[in-house]
Amino acid sequence: QKEVEQDPGPLSVPEGAIVSLNCTYSNSAFQYFMWYRQYSRKGPELLMYTYSSGNKEDGRFTAQVDKSSKYISLFIRDSQPSDSATYLCAMSLQGGSEKLVFGKGTKLTVNP
Amino acid sequence: GAVVSQHPSRVICKSGTSVKIECRSLDFQATTMFWYRQFPKQSLMLMATSNEGSKATYEQGVEKDKFLINHASLTLSTLTVTSAHPEDSSFYICSASGGAYEQFFGPGTRLTVL
């Protein structure tokens, strides 16, 4: 079993749809959970960061962490064509100064 | 957010040659830098972690003699791929951390070994 599992998709939605992206993980010691967005041939860009369980909202993006289920989600409301990218979940034991373990990434296309 | 640059953005070399990739934190001091490799349609795989002034810590299966990492200052780390072969062709991405929760990623370097 991989440490972090993420459905690679691809996922295609119409503009304005609500997008739900998910990851599961096996290591209960993970404390820090991130979502990165990666455009083709570019480095990842941090979208959301959550410590431990709970929800966090930033504009159209909401991140949820359920440590009891070892399950994290990213919701994108009112999706836009500019949201088309690969979304990677990542997690670590002790924050940004420690190694990140990434999911495989989900390729999202938002069609106008 | 903070800015991390990588140079070169793309490099093509012949098999057997060595290639050096630079990673710089432009507006903050990076106590820790990370080097990742990403194959097409795959996730980022951590190769090594380096702290300024000390030897890099390599992940299992990564040859330290082939992938030389130097973190000589708080703003610069270099990755040298020695005696590169076609199977080393990949997208190499660095990230830098100033000690807080976030890692800032560079734009990546695409290496093609002929």
Short mmCIF file of all heavy atoms in Angstrom, two decimals, chain A residues 2 32 34 36 38 41-46 49 56 88-89 95-105, chain B residues 10 32 34 36 38 41-44 46 49 59 91 93 97 99-108 110:
data_model
loop_
_atom_site.label_atom_id
_atom_site.label_comp_id
_atom_site.label_asym_id
_atom_site.label_seq_id
_atom_site.Cartn_x
_atom_site.Cartn_y
_atom_site.Cartn_z
N LYS A 2 0.63 2.16 -0.93
CA LYS A 2 1.39 3.40 -0.98
C LYS A 2 1.01 4.27 0.19
O LYS A 2 -0.10 4.19 0.72
CB LYS A 2 1.11 4.12 -2.30
CG LYS A 2 1.71 3.43 -3.51
CD LYS A 2 1.54 4.27 -4.75
CE LYS A 2 2.19 3.58 -5.94
NZ LYS A 2 2.02 4.35 -7.17
N TYR A 32 0.63 17.52 8.84
CA TYR A 32 0.50 18.68 7.97
C TYR A 32 0.04 18.21 6.60
O TYR A 32 0.59 17.28 6.04
CB TYR A 32 1.83 19.41 7.85
CG TYR A 32 2.30 20.00 9.16
CD1 TYR A 32 2.95 19.21 10.11
CD2 TYR A 32 2.08 21.34 9.46
CE1 TYR A 32 3.35 19.74 11.32
CE2 TYR A 32 2.48 21.88 10.66
CZ TYR A 32 3.12 21.07 11.59
OH TYR A 32 3.52 21.60 12.79
N MET A 34 -1.22 19.44 2.67
CA MET A 34 -1.19 20.53 1.70
C MET A 34 -1.81 20.10 0.38
O MET A 34 -1.85 18.91 0.05
CB MET A 34 0.28 20.95 1.39
CG MET A 34 1.05 21.45 2.58
SD MET A 34 1.96 20.07 3.31
CE MET A 34 3.00 20.97 4.48
N TYR A 36 -1.29 21.25 -3.64
CA TYR A 36 -0.52 22.02 -4.59
C TYR A 36 -1.18 21.95 -5.96
O TYR A 36 -1.81 20.94 -6.32
CB TYR A 36 0.91 21.46 -4.72
CG TYR A 36 1.83 21.79 -3.56
CD1 TYR A 36 1.84 21.00 -2.41
CD2 TYR A 36 2.68 22.89 -3.62
CE1 TYR A 36 2.69 21.32 -1.35
CE2 TYR A 36 3.53 23.20 -2.57
CZ TYR A 36 3.53 22.41 -1.45
OH TYR A 36 4.37 22.72 -0.40
N GLN A 38 -0.25 22.29 -10.00
CA GLN A 38 0.89 22.27 -10.92
C GLN A 38 0.40 22.38 -12.35
O GLN A 38 -0.32 21.51 -12.84
CB GLN A 38 1.72 20.98 -10.74
CG GLN A 38 2.99 20.97 -11.56
CD GLN A 38 3.84 19.72 -11.34
OE1 GLN A 38 3.35 18.68 -10.95
NE2 GLN A 38 5.14 19.84 -11.58
N ARG A 41 4.55 21.45 -17.01
CA ARG A 41 5.96 21.82 -17.10
C ARG A 41 6.35 22.97 -16.17
O ARG A 41 7.29 23.72 -16.45
CB ARG A 41 6.33 22.17 -18.55
CG ARG A 41 6.12 21.03 -19.51
CD ARG A 41 6.37 21.45 -20.95
NE ARG A 41 6.09 20.37 -21.88
CZ ARG A 41 6.98 19.52 -22.34
NH1 ARG A 41 8.23 19.63 -21.96
NH2 ARG A 41 6.64 18.56 -23.17
N LYS A 42 5.64 23.11 -15.05
CA LYS A 42 5.96 24.12 -14.07
C LYS A 42 6.12 23.47 -12.70
O LYS A 42 5.73 22.33 -12.49
CB LYS A 42 4.84 25.17 -13.99
CG LYS A 42 4.56 25.88 -15.30
CD LYS A 42 5.69 26.80 -15.68
CE LYS A 42 5.34 27.58 -16.94
NZ LYS A 42 6.48 28.41 -17.40
N GLY A 43 6.70 24.22 -11.76
CA GLY A 43 6.81 23.72 -10.40
C GLY A 43 5.48 23.84 -9.67
O GLY A 43 4.62 24.64 -10.04
N PRO A 44 5.26 23.03 -8.64
CA PRO A 44 4.01 23.10 -7.86
C PRO A 44 3.87 24.42 -7.11
O PRO A 44 4.85 25.00 -6.65
CB PRO A 44 4.14 21.94 -6.88
CG PRO A 44 5.19 21.06 -7.43
CD PRO A 44 6.13 21.96 -8.16
N GLU A 45 2.63 24.85 -6.96
CA GLU A 45 2.31 26.09 -6.26
C GLU A 45 1.37 25.73 -5.11
O GLU A 45 0.37 25.04 -5.32
CB GLU A 45 1.63 27.05 -7.23
CG GLU A 45 0.99 28.27 -6.61
CD GLU A 45 0.03 28.95 -7.57
OE1 GLU A 45 -0.29 28.38 -8.63
OE2 GLU A 45 -0.43 30.05 -7.24
N LEU A 46 1.70 26.18 -3.90
CA LEU A 46 0.87 25.83 -2.75
C LEU A 46 -0.47 26.55 -2.82
O LEU A 46 -0.54 27.76 -2.97
CB LEU A 46 1.59 26.23 -1.45
CG LEU A 46 0.83 25.90 -0.17
CD1 LEU A 46 0.75 24.38 0.03
CD2 LEU A 46 1.50 26.54 1.04
N TYR A 49 -3.10 24.83 2.96
CA TYR A 49 -2.31 24.14 3.98
C TYR A 49 -3.18 23.98 5.22
O TYR A 49 -3.83 24.92 5.65
CB TYR A 49 -1.06 24.97 4.28
CG TYR A 49 -0.52 24.79 5.67
CD1 TYR A 49 0.26 23.68 5.97
CD2 TYR A 49 -0.79 25.71 6.68
CE1 TYR A 49 0.76 23.51 7.25
CE2 TYR A 49 -0.30 25.53 7.95
CZ TYR A 49 0.47 24.44 8.23
OH TYR A 49 0.96 24.26 9.49
N LYS A 56 -10.58 24.32 6.13
CA LYS A 56 -9.98 25.63 5.89
C LYS A 56 -10.50 26.16 4.57
O LYS A 56 -10.53 25.41 3.59
CB LYS A 56 -8.45 25.52 5.86
CG LYS A 56 -7.73 26.85 5.86
CD LYS A 56 -6.25 26.63 6.07
CE LYS A 56 -5.51 27.93 6.22
NZ LYS A 56 -4.06 27.71 6.49
N LEU A 88 -2.04 18.19 -6.67
CA LEU A 88 -1.29 17.21 -5.89
C LEU A 88 -1.57 17.41 -4.41
O LEU A 88 -1.45 18.53 -3.91
CB LEU A 88 0.21 17.38 -6.12
CG LEU A 88 0.71 17.19 -7.55
CD1 LEU A 88 1.74 18.23 -7.88
CD2 LEU A 88 1.34 15.82 -7.70
N CYS A 89 -1.92 16.34 -3.73
CA CYS A 89 -1.96 16.43 -2.29
C CYS A 89 -0.57 16.07 -1.76
O CYS A 89 0.19 15.33 -2.41
CB CYS A 89 -3.02 15.51 -1.69
SG CYS A 89 -2.74 13.74 -1.96
N GLY A 95 5.82 19.50 9.12
CA GLY A 95 5.76 20.80 8.47
C GLY A 95 6.73 20.95 7.32
O GLY A 95 7.34 19.99 6.86
N GLY A 96 6.88 22.18 6.85
CA GLY A 96 7.59 22.46 5.61
C GLY A 96 9.07 22.19 5.62
O GLY A 96 9.69 22.04 4.59
N SER A 97 9.65 22.13 6.81
CA SER A 97 11.08 21.87 6.85
C SER A 97 11.39 20.38 6.80
O SER A 97 12.54 19.98 6.86
CB SER A 97 11.69 22.48 8.12
OG SER A 97 11.08 21.90 9.26
N GLU A 98 10.35 19.59 6.69
CA GLU A 98 10.51 18.15 6.58
C GLU A 98 10.05 17.67 5.21
O GLU A 98 9.37 18.39 4.48
CB GLU A 98 9.68 17.44 7.66
CG GLU A 98 10.08 17.80 9.07
CD GLU A 98 11.45 17.27 9.43
OE1 GLU A 98 11.80 16.18 8.96
OE2 GLU A 98 12.18 17.97 10.16
N LYS A 99 10.42 16.45 4.87
CA LYS A 99 10.09 15.93 3.56
C LYS A 99 8.58 15.84 3.37
O LYS A 99 7.84 15.57 4.31
CB LYS A 99 10.71 14.54 3.36
CG LYS A 99 10.22 13.49 4.34
CD LYS A 99 10.90 12.16 4.12
CE LYS A 99 10.29 11.39 2.98
NZ LYS A 99 10.83 10.02 2.85
N LEU A 100 8.14 16.12 2.16
CA LEU A 100 6.74 15.98 1.80
C LEU A 100 6.55 14.67 1.05
O LEU A 100 7.38 14.28 0.23
CB LEU A 100 6.31 17.14 0.90
CG LEU A 100 6.33 18.55 1.50
CD1 LEU A 100 5.88 19.56 0.45
CD2 LEU A 100 5.46 18.63 2.72
N VAL A 101 5.44 14.03 1.34
CA VAL A 101 5.06 12.83 0.58
C VAL A 101 3.87 13.23 -0.28
O VAL A 101 2.85 13.68 0.23
CB VAL A 101 4.69 11.66 1.51
CG1 VAL A 101 4.31 10.44 0.67
CG2 VAL A 101 5.86 11.33 2.43
N PHE A 102 4.03 13.06 -1.58
CA PHE A 102 3.02 13.52 -2.53
C PHE A 102 2.14 12.39 -3.01
O PHE A 102 2.57 11.24 -3.12
CB PHE A 102 3.71 14.13 -3.76
CG PHE A 102 4.21 15.53 -3.55
CD1 PHE A 102 5.47 15.76 -3.04
CD2 PHE A 102 3.41 16.61 -3.87
CE1 PHE A 102 5.94 17.06 -2.85
CE2 PHE A 102 3.87 17.92 -3.69
CZ PHE A 102 5.13 18.13 -3.17
N GLY A 103 0.90 12.74 -3.32
CA GLY A 103 0.05 11.86 -4.09
C GLY A 103 0.45 11.94 -5.55
O GLY A 103 1.29 12.75 -5.95
N LYS A 104 -0.17 11.12 -6.35
CA LYS A 104 0.19 11.04 -7.76
C LYS A 104 -0.29 12.24 -8.56
O LYS A 104 0.22 12.54 -9.62
CB LYS A 104 -0.41 9.77 -8.36
CG LYS A 104 0.40 9.14 -9.46
CD LYS A 104 -0.17 7.77 -9.83
CE LYS A 104 0.76 7.10 -10.81
NZ LYS A 104 0.29 5.75 -11.18
N GLY A 105 -1.28 12.96 -8.01
CA GLY A 105 -1.83 14.11 -8.71
C GLY A 105 -3.07 13.74 -9.50
O GLY A 105 -3.15 12.65 -10.06
N ARG B 10 15.93 24.18 -19.02
CA ARG B 10 15.96 23.00 -19.89
C ARG B 10 17.40 22.74 -20.31
O ARG B 10 18.14 23.68 -20.60
CB ARG B 10 15.10 23.25 -21.13
CG ARG B 10 15.10 22.13 -22.13
CD ARG B 10 14.14 22.40 -23.25
NE ARG B 10 12.76 22.25 -22.79
CZ ARG B 10 11.72 22.19 -23.61
NH1 ARG B 10 11.89 22.31 -24.90
NH2 ARG B 10 10.50 22.06 -23.15
N THR B 32 16.71 24.71 4.59
CA THR B 32 16.61 23.36 4.03
C THR B 32 16.17 23.46 2.58
O THR B 32 15.28 24.23 2.25
CB THR B 32 15.59 22.50 4.81
OG1 THR B 32 15.90 22.55 6.20
CG2 THR B 32 15.62 21.05 4.34
N PHE B 34 15.24 20.90 -0.88
CA PHE B 34 14.87 19.54 -1.28
C PHE B 34 15.00 19.41 -2.80
O PHE B 34 14.72 20.35 -3.53
CB PHE B 34 13.42 19.24 -0.89
CG PHE B 34 13.11 19.42 0.58
CD1 PHE B 34 12.79 20.68 1.07
CD2 PHE B 34 13.13 18.35 1.44
CE1 PHE B 34 12.51 20.86 2.42
CE2 PHE B 34 12.85 18.51 2.79
CZ PHE B 34 12.53 19.77 3.28
N TYR B 36 13.61 17.05 -5.95
CA TYR B 36 12.62 16.07 -6.37
C TYR B 36 12.85 15.73 -7.84
O TYR B 36 13.39 16.50 -8.62
CB TYR B 36 11.20 16.61 -6.22
CG TYR B 36 10.74 16.91 -4.82
CD1 TYR B 36 11.05 18.12 -4.19
CD2 TYR B 36 9.98 15.98 -4.11
CE1 TYR B 36 10.62 18.40 -2.90
CE2 TYR B 36 9.53 16.26 -2.83
CZ TYR B 36 9.85 17.47 -2.24
OH TYR B 36 9.41 17.74 -0.97
N GLN B 38 10.53 14.15 -11.16
CA GLN B 38 9.17 13.85 -11.59
C GLN B 38 9.21 13.30 -13.00
O GLN B 38 9.61 13.99 -13.94
CB GLN B 38 8.29 15.10 -11.55
CG GLN B 38 6.83 14.84 -11.83
CD GLN B 38 5.98 16.10 -11.69
OE1 GLN B 38 6.43 17.20 -11.99
NE2 GLN B 38 4.75 15.94 -11.24
N LYS B 41 3.65 12.09 -16.03
CA LYS B 41 2.40 11.58 -15.45
C LYS B 41 2.62 10.89 -14.11
O LYS B 41 1.81 10.05 -13.71
CB LYS B 41 1.69 10.64 -16.44
CG LYS B 41 1.29 11.33 -17.73
CD LYS B 41 0.46 10.44 -18.62
CE LYS B 41 0.07 11.19 -19.89
NZ LYS B 41 -0.76 10.37 -20.80
N GLN B 42 3.70 11.20 -13.46
CA GLN B 42 3.97 10.64 -12.15
C GLN B 42 4.07 11.78 -11.13
O GLN B 42 4.18 12.95 -11.49
CB GLN B 42 5.29 9.86 -12.15
CG GLN B 42 5.30 8.66 -13.08
CD GLN B 42 4.37 7.58 -12.63
OE1 GLN B 42 4.30 7.25 -11.46
NE2 GLN B 42 3.63 7.00 -13.57
N SER B 43 4.06 11.41 -9.87
CA SER B 43 4.16 12.43 -8.83
C SER B 43 5.61 12.79 -8.58
O SER B 43 6.54 12.23 -9.17
CB SER B 43 3.52 11.92 -7.55
OG SER B 43 3.43 12.97 -6.61
N LEU B 44 5.80 13.76 -7.71
CA LEU B 44 7.15 14.15 -7.32
C LEU B 44 7.72 13.12 -6.35
O LEU B 44 7.08 12.75 -5.38
CB LEU B 44 7.14 15.51 -6.64
CG LEU B 44 7.01 16.74 -7.51
CD1 LEU B 44 5.58 16.92 -7.99
CD2 LEU B 44 7.48 17.98 -6.77
N LEU B 46 10.88 12.51 -3.84
CA LEU B 46 11.99 13.15 -3.17
C LEU B 46 13.27 12.37 -3.40
O LEU B 46 13.30 11.16 -3.23
CB LEU B 46 11.71 13.26 -1.67
CG LEU B 46 12.79 13.94 -0.83
CD1 LEU B 46 12.90 15.42 -1.19
CD2 LEU B 46 12.48 13.79 0.66
N THR B 49 17.46 15.59 0.74
CA THR B 49 17.23 16.78 1.56
C THR B 49 18.59 17.34 1.93
O THR B 49 19.48 16.58 2.35
CB THR B 49 16.48 16.40 2.84
OG1 THR B 49 15.24 15.78 2.50
CG2 THR B 49 16.22 17.63 3.70
N GLU B 59 17.37 9.79 -0.21
CA GLU B 59 16.30 8.81 -0.05
C GLU B 59 16.80 7.45 -0.52
O GLU B 59 17.76 7.34 -1.32
CB GLU B 59 15.07 9.21 -0.84
CG GLU B 59 14.41 10.48 -0.32
CD GLU B 59 13.91 10.35 1.11
OE1 GLU B 59 13.04 9.48 1.35
OE2 GLU B 59 14.39 11.12 1.97
N PHE B 91 12.22 15.49 -15.10
CA PHE B 91 11.96 16.86 -14.67
C PHE B 91 12.45 16.95 -13.23
O PHE B 91 11.96 16.23 -12.36
CB PHE B 91 10.45 17.13 -14.77
CG PHE B 91 10.05 18.57 -14.66
CD1 PHE B 91 10.65 19.54 -15.43
CD2 PHE B 91 9.03 18.95 -13.81
CE1 PHE B 91 10.27 20.87 -15.34
CE2 PHE B 91 8.62 20.28 -13.71
CZ PHE B 91 9.25 21.24 -14.48
N ILE B 93 12.98 19.13 -9.85
CA ILE B 93 12.40 20.30 -9.18
C ILE B 93 13.01 20.43 -7.79
O ILE B 93 13.12 19.45 -7.06
CB ILE B 93 10.87 20.17 -9.01
CG1 ILE B 93 10.20 19.86 -10.36
CG2 ILE B 93 10.27 21.43 -8.42
CD1 ILE B 93 8.71 19.62 -10.25
N SER B 97 12.86 25.70 2.05
CA SER B 97 12.09 26.03 3.25
C SER B 97 12.93 26.92 4.15
O SER B 97 14.12 26.67 4.36
CB SER B 97 11.71 24.74 3.99
OG SER B 97 11.15 25.04 5.25
N GLY B 99 12.13 27.23 7.24
CA GLY B 99 11.89 26.75 8.60
C GLY B 99 10.43 26.77 9.00
O GLY B 99 10.06 26.16 9.99
N ALA B 100 9.61 27.46 8.23
CA ALA B 100 8.18 27.50 8.54
C ALA B 100 7.50 26.29 7.89
O ALA B 100 8.15 25.37 7.45
CB ALA B 100 7.58 28.81 8.04
N TYR B 101 6.18 26.32 7.79
CA TYR B 101 5.47 25.16 7.31
C TYR B 101 5.56 24.98 5.81
O TYR B 101 5.38 23.89 5.31
CB TYR B 101 3.99 25.25 7.70
CG TYR B 101 3.23 26.34 6.98
CD1 TYR B 101 2.62 26.10 5.76
CD2 TYR B 101 3.13 27.59 7.53
CE1 TYR B 101 1.93 27.09 5.09
CE2 TYR B 101 2.44 28.59 6.87
CZ TYR B 101 1.84 28.34 5.65
OH TYR B 101 1.17 29.32 5.00
N GLU B 102 5.87 26.03 5.08
CA GLU B 102 5.73 25.95 3.64
C GLU B 102 7.05 25.68 2.94
O GLU B 102 8.10 26.18 3.34
CB GLU B 102 5.17 27.27 3.11
CG GLU B 102 4.87 27.24 1.61
CD GLU B 102 4.11 28.46 1.14
OE1 GLU B 102 3.66 29.25 1.99
OE2 GLU B 102 3.94 28.60 -0.08
N GLN B 103 6.97 24.86 1.89
CA GLN B 103 8.08 24.68 0.96
C GLN B 103 7.71 25.44 -0.31
O GLN B 103 6.61 25.30 -0.82
CB GLN B 103 8.28 23.21 0.62
CG GLN B 103 8.96 22.42 1.69
CD GLN B 103 9.24 20.99 1.27
OE1 GLN B 103 9.45 20.69 0.09
NE2 GLN B 103 9.23 20.11 2.24
N PHE B 104 8.67 26.22 -0.80
CA PHE B 104 8.46 26.96 -2.04
C PHE B 104 9.21 26.25 -3.15
O PHE B 104 10.39 25.95 -3.02
CB PHE B 104 8.97 28.40 -1.88
CG PHE B 104 8.26 29.17 -0.81
CD1 PHE B 104 8.79 29.25 0.47
CD2 PHE B 104 7.06 29.79 -1.07
CE1 PHE B 104 8.13 29.95 1.47
CE2 PHE B 104 6.39 30.50 -0.08
CZ PHE B 104 6.93 30.57 1.20
N PHE B 105 8.50 25.98 -4.23
CA PHE B 105 9.07 25.19 -5.30
C PHE B 105 9.62 26.06 -6.42
O PHE B 105 9.08 27.13 -6.74
CB PHE B 105 8.01 24.24 -5.87
CG PHE B 105 7.76 23.05 -4.99
CD1 PHE B 105 6.94 23.14 -3.89
CD2 PHE B 105 8.39 21.84 -5.26
CE1 PHE B 105 6.73 22.03 -3.06
CE2 PHE B 105 8.19 20.73 -4.44
CZ PHE B 105 7.36 20.83 -3.35
N GLY B 106 10.70 25.58 -7.01
CA GLY B 106 11.23 26.20 -8.21
C GLY B 106 10.42 25.79 -9.42
O GLY B 106 9.55 24.91 -9.33
N PRO B 107 10.70 26.38 -10.59
CA PRO B 107 9.94 26.09 -11.80
C PRO B 107 10.34 24.79 -12.47
O PRO B 107 9.69 24.35 -13.41
CB PRO B 107 10.26 27.29 -12.70
CG PRO B 107 11.59 27.75 -12.25
CD PRO B 107 11.64 27.49 -10.77
N GLY B 108 11.41 24.16 -12.00
CA GLY B 108 11.81 22.88 -12.56
C GLY B 108 12.84 22.99 -13.68
O GLY B 108 12.96 24.03 -14.34
N ARG B 110 14.09 20.64 -17.00
CA ARG B 110 13.85 19.43 -17.80
C ARG B 110 15.18 18.96 -18.38
O ARG B 110 15.81 19.68 -19.16
CB ARG B 110 12.85 19.71 -18.92
CG ARG B 110 12.48 18.46 -19.70
CD ARG B 110 11.18 18.61 -20.45
NE ARG B 110 10.06 18.90 -19.57
CZ ARG B 110 9.41 18.00 -18.83
NH1 ARG B 110 9.78 16.74 -18.87
NH2 ARG B 110 8.39 18.35 -18.09
#
